[in-house]
Amino acid sequence: MSALATQAAVSCRGVIKEFGSGETRVMALRGVDLETPAGEMTLLVGPSGCGKTTLISIIAGLLDPCRGEVSVLGTSLNQLRGRHLVSFRARNIGFVFQQYNLLPALTAAENAAVPLIIAGMDRPTAVKRAQAMLGELGMADRANALPAQLSGGQQQRVAIARALIHEPRLLVCDEPTAALDAHSGRIVMGLIRRIAVQPDRAVIVVTHDSRVYDFGDRIVYMSDGHIERVELNGHAHKE
Amino acid sequence: MNWIALKMLTGDRSKYLGIVFGVAFASLLMAHQVSIFCGIMRRTTSQIRDVEEASIWVMDPHLQYSEEIQPLADTDLYRIRGVEGVDWAVPFFKGLVRARKTDGSRAERGDYRQVMLLGIDDATLIGAPRTMVLGELADLKRPDTVVIDEAGFKYLWPDEPFSTGKLLEMNDRRAVVVGVCKASAPFQTMPIMYTRYSQAIQYAPTERRLLSFVLARHKPDASPAAVCDRIEEKTGLQAVSKDGFGWKTMRYYLKNTGIPVNFGITVALGFIVGVAIAGQTFYLFTIENLKQFGALKAMGVTNVSIVGMVLLQAFVVGLIGYGIGMGFAAAFFVATKNVTALSGFFLPWQVMAGTGLAVLLIVLMSSLVSIRRVLVLEPAIVFRG
């Protein structure tokens, strides 16, 4: 077990985030403290507007907190700025988005290869690796299809392949099942659980889909900008 | 990343073609109109350029352009010949006369055309056309003879093949066409006829003075500018170099006619249409791709790379649109090469370069607005459903 597996992969201390100013000021996070270990899938759950997306954006280094400390994989994000932060994200974080955000002009394999191309790998090699990754996700026969030719569940699988292809140590997923029916949603969560959860990798999933709660090892309930309670799920779904 | 940028660009076929069309249309409009404008301006100097032997044109001191003729005294020719640095000087007649077609016995009533008559030196034939299409230039030395330009022949005798022996009547005097030549198209589309100076003043309406210009050449060891100054000093006439006379004439048309304003408006419209169509479509294209750019930024693409991607997309559509626009403009001038009304018009390289700069400006203006939107884009946008 790596050193990372024994310590918190993500650590938030007193994180506050406000948007706007004056009368239009909105307090999205009101002092969040959170620790998520590697080797687990953590679900961030709660009603719309409770601050889940803001928290995951800050953890992923896409938003700066107004106050508080955020440490990811042992690195303080408060200390990283500009290209250092971008580089940290590119190397260490994988993203799965609610709307997939696949590039419509690229095939499934090409989409999955994008993080490797960003990292500087030559295109043929990157696409070859992406094809192998899609094979692991049961998409080998659809590797050359365009996103418009894929179902929602298939597109999300491509997005998962894209998120994991560069072997990030933190995977953040934003409502990965929101655009899918219940059956497809469970398949996608099962894949994330099976492929993404590794001893040296933390997985954080934002969701308000209670039907997939059983996939998480840890469920963080949020309400009105703070963490209400954390439940350890001893019966996490194992496939 | 360049590959991804190009895939994004060409992925949305309708928008991609829309932007290319916008740039191509603007390029075509600008290049075409500026070329026609240049062609028209060039036509104002046709008769000056066609006289290749003369380096100096001497004229009335108040003359403003080549069509405004204030004849000189015959004695002025001899005064000019006497100026130091002048190698030779010859008379040159330029005027408009009415030519009537005739079969030699009976005039066809009303069948006449206004023609531009050029009278060249009897002895040397300086100022004569350089290229004969039919007949011999030496035949001009025969009495009552003229050489007509190709377009003029077609104008006077449409649907007839080029031939010699055609008869005309000018100022009640007989003229025989002894040759057909090539000549630069004049500003006004009318036939050009060459004849000897002594013959020209017979065909021209009677005036006390008929010497339109004196054509001269400087001696090899003298500078044209210095000789011009000396001619002006000694004779009180106006002497300008060949190029100088051409520019003087063009400046007159630029200043005193509505031609530049009208063409300028069209070119400006072409530019505005280019900016409007290409700019707006490109901007919309970028806006629609904001989520994708956001996802790329989230995944670790730097702002510099994103700017590079947007600029590459803009320059690619600019280059393709410019190429198509230039292609159509060039095709137009090739296709109309033999159309009399458009003869001599072409697509100058300077116009192509200028249009290229204008397209570059359109592309830059279009992409700058888009780049701004992409730069201020929060990558966290990707987490908003």
Side-chain angles (χ1 to χ4, degrees):
Chain A
M1 187 173 280
S2 71
L4 187 61
T6 62
Q7 67 181 54
V10 174
S11 170
C12 300
R13 292 270 173 271
V15 172
I16 292 173
K17 182 66 182 177
E18 294 171 359
F19 293 106
S21 59
E23 289 185 7
T24 60
R25 192 181 69 159
V26 173
M27 199 137 185
L29 297 178
R30 300 165 183 271
V32 170
D33 295 314
L34 175 69
E35 287 206 344
T36 63
E40 282 189 8
M41 178 188 281
T42 301
L43 304 187
L44 283 181
V45 304
S48 295
C50 69
K52 307 185 295 287
T53 299
T54 304
L55 180 57
I56 204 176
S57 298
I58 288 172
I59 290 170
L62 301 178
L63 273 183
D64 292 326
C66 297
R67 282 192 291 281
E69 294 287 326
V70 180
S71 171
V72 175
L73 307 168
T75 302
S76 170
L77 293 193
N78 302 68
Q79 308 299 320
L80 292 180
R81 283 287 174 272
R83 61 187 173 87
H84 297 293
L85 180 59
V86 172
S87 169
F88 178 81
R89 244 179 8 231
R91 277 185 285 113
N92 297 300
I93 303 177
F95 294 90
V96 176
F97 309 111
Q98 179 181 342
Q99 298 296 334
Y100 327 126
N101 286 330
L102 300 177
L103 298 172
L106 304 190
T107 64
E110 289 168 343
N111 263 294
V114 165
L116 297 178
I117 294 169
I118 291 172
M121 185 180 283
D122 67 279
R123 185 157 50 94
T125 310
V127 171
K128 207 171 176 182
R129 274 182 59 175
Q131 283 167 337
M133 173 65 84
L134 286 172
E136 278 187 55
L137 292 163
M139 290 277 293
D141 58 332
R142 306 296 285 151
N144 292 320
L146 293 171
Q149 298 164 329
L150 300 174
S151 68
Q154 288 173 326
Q155 288 189 57
Q156 197 59 297
R157 284 197 226 182
V158 176
I160 293 168
R162 181 179 65 184
L164 296 174
I165 189 124
H166 58 306
E167 299 175 350
R169 290 190 295 159
L170 172 64
L171 178 68
V172 292
C173 309
D174 178 44
E175 304 277 9
T177 61
L180 304 175
D181 59 62
H183 177 65
S184 301
R186 290 192 68 78
I187 290 175
V188 163
M189 286 303 287
L191 281 172
I192 293 174
R193 167 109 223 148
R194 181 167 63 83
I195 307 284
V197 178
Q198 302 288 334
D200 59 348
R201 177 186 292 149
V203 179
I204 301 177
V205 179
V206 166
T207 184
H208 60 252
D209 185 355
S210 57
R211 295 169 302 183
V212 298
Y213 283 6
D214 58 327
F215 285 93
D217 297 295
R218 187 181 294 257
I219 304 175
V220 178
Y221 289 88
M222 290 190 70
S223 173
D224 196 24
H226 67 272
I227 291 174
E228 213 170 46
R229 68 182 192 281
V230 179
E231 281 181 8
L232 295 180
N233 188 356
H235 308 289
H237 186 98
K238 313 285 183 194
E239 293 212 345
Chain B
M1 296 314 296
N2 291 347
W3 169 75
I4 293 175
L6 295 178
K7 280 283 213 173
M8 284 172 73
L9 175 68
T10 55
D12 189 338
R13 201 60 62 86
S14 59
K15 283 213 171 47
Y16 168 61
L17 293 178
I19 305 167
V20 168
F21 170 79
V23 176
F25 180 74
S27 303
L28 171 63
L29 200 58
M30 287 188 286
H32 181 267
Q33 290 298 297
V34 175
S35 296
I36 294 278
F37 172 71
C38 291
I40 289 174
M41 285 298 107
R42 195 173 148 81
R43 278 189 173 192
T44 64
T45 65
S46 288
Q47 282 68 57
I48 302 169
R49 281 182 290 109
D50 278 359
V51 181
E52 292 186 11
E53 304 93 328
S55 60
I56 296 167
W57 287 63
V58 187
M59 61 205 80
D60 181 86
H62 302 294
L63 188 138
Q64 299 182 86
Y65 67 113
S66 64
E67 303 297 323
E68 181 189 64
I69 294 161
Q70 178 66 42
L72 309 174
D74 289 342
T75 51
D76 287 333
L77 173 65
Y78 305 108
R79 294 167 64 206
I80 293 162
R81 281 175 175 163
V83 174
E84 187 190 341
V86 172
D87 196 9
W88 50 255
V90 294
F92 188 69
F93 173 87
K94 183 182 177 198
L96 302 180
V97 299
R98 217 162 41 178
R100 188 161 54 180
K101 292 197 287 185
T102 173
D103 61 0
S105 58
R106 183 173 59 84
E108 296 164 39
R109 285 188 61 180
D111 194 6
Y112 61 85
R113 295 284 183 271
Q114 192 90 338
V115 302
M116 180 179 288
L117 187 66
L118 301 177
I120 57 178
D121 182 44
D122 288 52
T124 61
L125 297 186
I126 284 173
R130 313 292 294 184
T131 310
M132 294 295 292
V133 177
L134 184 70
E136 296 293 330
L137 189 61
D139 288 339
L140 265 190
K141 297 212 169 184
R142 287 161 43 197
D144 302 332
T145 54
V146 293
V147 167
I148 190 169
D149 73 314
E150 286 176 298
F153 190 97
K154 288 178 191 167
Y155 183 66
L156 284 171
W157 295 283
D159 305 324
E160 287 189 37
F162 292 147
S163 60
T164 55
K166 293 284 187 189
L167 292 177
L168 293 164
E169 207 176 84
M170 290 184 283
N171 199 19
D172 292 332
R173 291 173 190 275
R174 174 177 171 269
V176 183
V177 175
V178 292
V180 180
C181 67
K182 285 187 182 296
S184 300
F187 180 62
Q188 295 167 303
T189 49
M190 57 177 63
I192 301 170
M193 280 190 195
Y194 291 88
T195 188
R196 285 171 290 109
Y197 180 78
S198 60
Q199 190 78 63
I201 58 177
Q202 302 293 316
Y203 291 141
T206 308
E207 283 188 76
R208 196 167 64 82
R209 293 175 166 193
L210 286 162
L211 178 60
S212 309
F213 299 97
V214 172
L215 305 178
R217 180 150 196 98
H218 61 285
K219 283 184 174 165
D221 57 347
S223 83
V227 176
C228 285
D229 288 345
R230 234 172 280 147
I231 291 171
E232 290 190 352
E233 188 187 331
K234 298 281 183 191
T235 64
L237 299 172
Q238 183 181 187
V240 285
S241 67
K242 181 181 167 185
D243 287 346
F245 191 30
W247 281 110
K248 182 183 175 74
T249 299
M250 277 196 278
R251 271 197 299 274
Y252 176 85
Y253 281 98
L254 288 171
K255 191 178 168 186
N256 295 288
T257 69
I259 297 170
V261 174
N262 286 316
F263 277 90
I265 288 170
T266 311
V267 172
L269 282 176
F271 185 81
I272 291 167
V273 166
V275 171
I277 296 180
Q280 193 182 20
T281 317
F282 190 73
Y283 180 66
L284 286 176
F285 167 78
T286 307
I287 294 299
E288 285 180 12
N289 284 323
L290 274 185
K291 276 244 167 189
Q292 294 175 18
F293 282 121
L296 289 172
K297 283 177 96 167
M299 286 188 279
V301 178
T302 60
N303 272 339
V304 173
S305 295
I306 295 279
V307 169
M309 289 172 74
V310 175
L311 282 178
L312 177 69
Q313 291 171 338
F315 279 105
V316 165
V317 290
L319 195 64
I320 295 172
Y322 171 73
I324 293 172
M326 287 304 101
F328 274 110
F332 171 84
F333 289 113
V334 170
T336 58
K337 193 171 58 176
N338 296 320
V339 176
T340 306
L342 293 170
S343 68
F345 289 171
F346 65 103
L347 182 60
W349 69 264
Q350 293 92 338
V351 173
M352 290 179 72
T355 307
L357 283 176
V359 168
L360 187 66
L361 201 58
I362 289 172
V363 161
L364 281 177
M365 287 170 74
S366 307
S367 52
L368 280 180
V369 187
S370 301
I371 284 170
R372 194 188 156 276
R373 282 301 300 264
V374 174
L375 283 181
V376 300
L377 174 72
E378 288 270 3
I381 188 179
V382 290
F383 282 148
R384 288 170 209 145

